């Protein structure tokens, strides 16, 4: 892959290569005198993929929902909760086999930190799953992101917030991926849960405008007259008001506070 990218870099700057949405398809083919499975990046990946057992193929496609890497614990949680692996032990075994096949690598070479899937491998997996229902994997991924944020909420509001942020920042891209999928899938309840759980993270990370955008989208998508929907909407409004206060958007903040107070008065304090 490096050799093919280097060859294309004679014509296209490396930065432009990296910006390609489908990098693997844009790279040239190798000379015909090399083995068939080495003549293009896609063929090389397909050759490695075909060597896998069915469960490992499923595991690889499932893990491609992660963006920007993931911990082994996160990968195992998604494999288990999506039904790919029957137990955590089986999930860890699958991850280790994929690493041995070089389809997963240690991010930065440190096995205690994170695993990463090369972007070309992710593209390949996404194309394989284009006609399949990847809903279980996406839902498991979104649920894991939400759980991570919720479990860190109290720490983010305490003196231990630095350590909590060190754990969450590497998965910022996974949060955005889960939010986008929930929005695109029309899953308003999951979008609201993610946005609400992400509010303390955005606040601590000073990502006020990003937080405003997702909280506002969740507010617009949240409906229903039941108490659960009303509570979710109130929570989102409170988060949106807080984001605008810290972003210096005073008028917008006041509008959100007024909307929240009106909602509380209309729906009741509960």
């Amino acid at each position: 892959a490096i050799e093919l990218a280097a060859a294309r870099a004679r014509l296209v700057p490396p930065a432009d290569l990296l910006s390609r949405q489908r990098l693997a398809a844009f790279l040239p083919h190798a000379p015909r005198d090399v083995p068939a499975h080495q003549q293009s990046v896609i063929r090389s990946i397909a050759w490695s993929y075909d060597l896998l057992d069915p469960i490992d193929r499923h595991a690889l496609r499932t893990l491609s929902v992660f963006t920007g890497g993931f911990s082994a614990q996160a990968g195992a949680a998604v494999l288990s909760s999506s039904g790919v692996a029957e137990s955590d032990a089986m999930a860890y075994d699958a991850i280790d086999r994929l690493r041995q096949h070089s389809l997963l690598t240690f991010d930065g070479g440190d096995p205690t930190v994170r695993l990463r899937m090369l972007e070309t491998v992710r593209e390949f997996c996404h194309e394989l799953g284009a006609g399949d229902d990847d809903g279980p994997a996406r839902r498991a991924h979104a649920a894991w992101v939400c759980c991570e944020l919720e479990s860190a909420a109290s720490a983010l509001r305490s003196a231990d917030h630095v350590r909590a942020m060190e754990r969450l920042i590497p998965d910022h891209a996974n949060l955005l991926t889960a939010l986008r999928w929930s929005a695109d899938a029309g899953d308003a309840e999951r979008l609201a849960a993610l946005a609400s759980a992400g509010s303390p993270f955005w606040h601590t990370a000073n990502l006020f405008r990003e937080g405003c955008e997702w909280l506002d989208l969740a507010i617009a998508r949240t409906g229903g007259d039941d108490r659960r929907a009303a509570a979710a909407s109130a929570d989102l409004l409170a988060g949106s008001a807080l984001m605008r206060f810290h972003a210096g958007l005073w008028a917008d903040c006041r509008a959100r506070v007024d909307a929240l107070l009106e909602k509380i008065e209309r729906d009741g304090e509960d």
Side-chain angles (χ1 to χ4, degrees):
I2 293 173
E3 291 174 354
L4 295 174
R8 185 63 86 203
R10 297 169 190 153
L11 299 175
V12 182
D16 289 347
L17 277 176
L18 289 173
S19 68
R20 295 275 171 173
Q21 289 187 344
R22 295 181 68 252
L23 176 59
F26 185 67
L27 296 180
H29 289 271
R32 295 184 180 274
D33 59 350
V34 303
H37 68 269
Q38 295 179 5
Q39 289 182 4
S40 74
V41 173
I42 291 297
R43 286 185 181 181
S44 295
I45 297 171
W47 179 76
S48 297
Y49 180 82
D50 289 340
L51 293 176
L52 300 175
D53 292 334
I55 188 173
D56 291 344
R57 294 178 190 176
H58 196 180
L60 184 68
R61 296 196 305 272
T62 298
L63 293 173
S64 71
V65 301
F66 284 98
T67 305
F70 55 93
S71 67
Q73 293 87 344
V78 169
L79 290 177
S80 296
S81 60
S82 62
V84 176
E86 296 180 1
S87 66
D88 287 345
M90 291 180 64
Y92 280 108
D93 287 344
I95 290 171
D96 193 46
R97 288 192 296 269
L98 293 174
R99 184 193 60 79
Q100 292 175 24
H101 280 274
S102 299
L103 292 167
L104 295 176
T105 60
F106 289 126
D107 194 359
D110 186 348
T112 65
V113 184
R114 294 170 72 78
L115 291 155
R116 181 177 292 274
M117 184 181 296
L118 293 177
E119 191 60 30
T120 48
V121 177
R122 289 185 71 246
E123 291 174 3
F124 176 83
C125 292
H126 290 173
E127 290 189 6
L128 281 178
D132 300 331
D133 179 19
D134 64 351
R138 293 289 182 181
R139 285 189 289 272
H141 175 258
W144 172 80
V145 171
C146 195
C147 182
E148 286 293 292
L149 290 166
E150 289 175 346
S151 65
S154 60
L156 289 174
R157 299 186 179 96
S158 72
D160 202 29
H161 66 277
V162 174
R163 185 178 302 177
M165 285 300 294
E166 288 175 349
R167 182 165 62 90
L168 293 177
I169 284 176
D171 285 309
H172 182 202
N174 280 313
L175 167 59
L176 296 178
T177 295
L179 286 163
R180 292 189 190 103
W181 176 79
S182 299
D184 292 343
D187 192 338
E189 184 175 350
R190 194 174 302 276
L191 177 64
L194 282 164
S196 180
S199 187
F201 167 77
W202 286 316
H203 175 254
T204 308
N206 295 329
L207 296 172
F208 305 124
R209 293 187 181 275
E210 179 182 300
C212 286
E213 291 175 5
W214 286 109
L215 286 162
D216 288 351
L217 179 60
I219 291 169
R221 299 282 184 90
T222 300
D225 298 326
D226 59 285
R227 296 178 64 181
R228 184 176 178 179
S233 181
D235 193 41
L236 292 167
L237 278 169
S240 180
L242 182 63
M243 293 295 159
R244 282 169 165 76
F245 175 82
H246 288 286
L249 304 172
W250 314 118
D252 286 348
C253 173
R254 180 56 185 268
R256 295 303 186 283
V257 171
D258 289 343
L260 176 60
L261 293 174
E262 180 182 345
K263 184 172 188 58
I264 292 173
E265 183 178 353
R266 182 179 66 250
D267 298 336
E269 189 173 346
D270 291 340

